[in-house]
Amino acid sequence: VRVYKNEVEISVDTSATPLHRRGYRMVPGKAPLREDLAYGLLYSLNWGNQEIKNQEAENSVKDSNKTFPTTLVDPFCGSGTILIEGACMKLGLPPGRLRQAPFEHSRLHDPSRWEHLIKTSLPLIDSEDAESTETDNDTVPKTKRVSSPSSADSSDTNSQKCVILGSDRDAGVIQSAKENIERAGLGAYMSDTIGKNVSSSTPSQI
């Protein structure tokens, strides 16, 4: 509750933790880039799921000359934030899919509606779930794994493949990035995406 002169403002905390925390980055590394800033950076470069981008263009003014980047390389990837956000955008995965539901501990929360929203938003999710992860700062719900490319729906029309590749000289940070990739449910796509240098990494085809 905030009171200023003759005005009273009542706010409700819907999420408990800042919305930029996606739920996959438990070990951020040194000077980490916020997840939402990485998303905004890639979005401004027109990176992402081509079908979704086309739909957005149709809702505004369609630009026939718009191009879509097909390669994402981060040679100083740190904990892998840009690469993970880029892969999620390419696959059309909602940013908040790993977070706890809004109002979860209140009478306003509708569990069935939230579960339906998650299921309809994630067509590439495996039925098998990983165990939940808990830290001092965040409690992350069960991380659902994105299906491997071979098991994805063959009717997907977003056929333009993109290359994602990263590296970092810090072996500890590379390990953290790989763990973050697994927590994000992207292990089937990005298991060897990050290495000591770009030449030793295996490009991910998404």
Side-chain angles (χ1 to χ4, degrees), residues 23-24 26 97-98 122 125-134 139-147 178-188:
Y24 61 78
M26 296 295 100
R97 70 192 185 283
L98 304 178
L122 302 175
I125 289 300
D126 276 344
S127 59
E128 181 181 354
D129 292 339
E131 295 181 355
S132 60
T133 304
E134 186 172 340
T139 299
V140 181
K142 289 185 177 181
T143 303
K144 299 183 177 181
R145 299 182 300 127
V146 179
S147 303
K178 291 183 177 181
E179 292 174 1
N180 291 335
I181 287 171
E182 289 295 332
R183 272 190 288 267
L186 298 170

Side-chain angles (χ1 to χ4, degrees), residues 71-140:
T71 302
L72 175 60
V73 178
D74 187 354
F76 316 105
C77 67
S79 55
T81 305
I82 292 177
L83 302 177
I84 293 172
E85 290 294 318
C88 291
M89 292 171 70
K90 174 60 181 173
L91 292 168
L93 301 178
R97 70 192 185 283
L98 304 178
R99 294 178 57 89
Q100 291 179 316
F103 297 108
E104 187 170 35
H105 302 295
S106 75
R107 301 172 70 178
L108 298 174
H109 176 52
D110 187 337
S112 59
R113 179 173 293 183
W114 178 254
E115 186 65 23
H116 174 73
L117 176 63
I118 293 296
K119 287 182 178 179
T120 55
S121 300
L122 302 175
L124 297 176
I125 289 300
D126 276 344
S127 59
E128 181 181 354
D129 292 339
E131 295 181 355
S132 60
T133 304
E134 186 172 340
T135 68
D136 294 336
N137 298 324
D138 293 289
T139 299
V140 181

Side-chain angles (χ1 to χ4, degrees), residues 24-76:
Y24 61 78
R25 199 171 68 179
M26 296 295 100
V27 184
K30 298 178 181 178
L33 178 67
R34 275 176 39 167
E35 297 92 325
D36 57 341
L37 293 180
Y39 181 99
L41 182 148
L42 292 168
Y43 190 89
S44 67
L45 296 174
N46 210 31
W47 175 270
N49 186 289
Q50 189 169 341
E51 284 187 82
I52 296 175
K53 289 285 189 177
N54 285 337
Q55 291 174 5
E56 292 175 349
E58 289 175 1
N59 292 334
S60 56
V61 179
K62 190 165 185 178
D63 183 0
S64 59
N65 296 321
K66 183 175 289 186
T67 59
F68 297 89
T70 58
T71 302
L72 175 60
V73 178
D74 187 354
F76 316 105

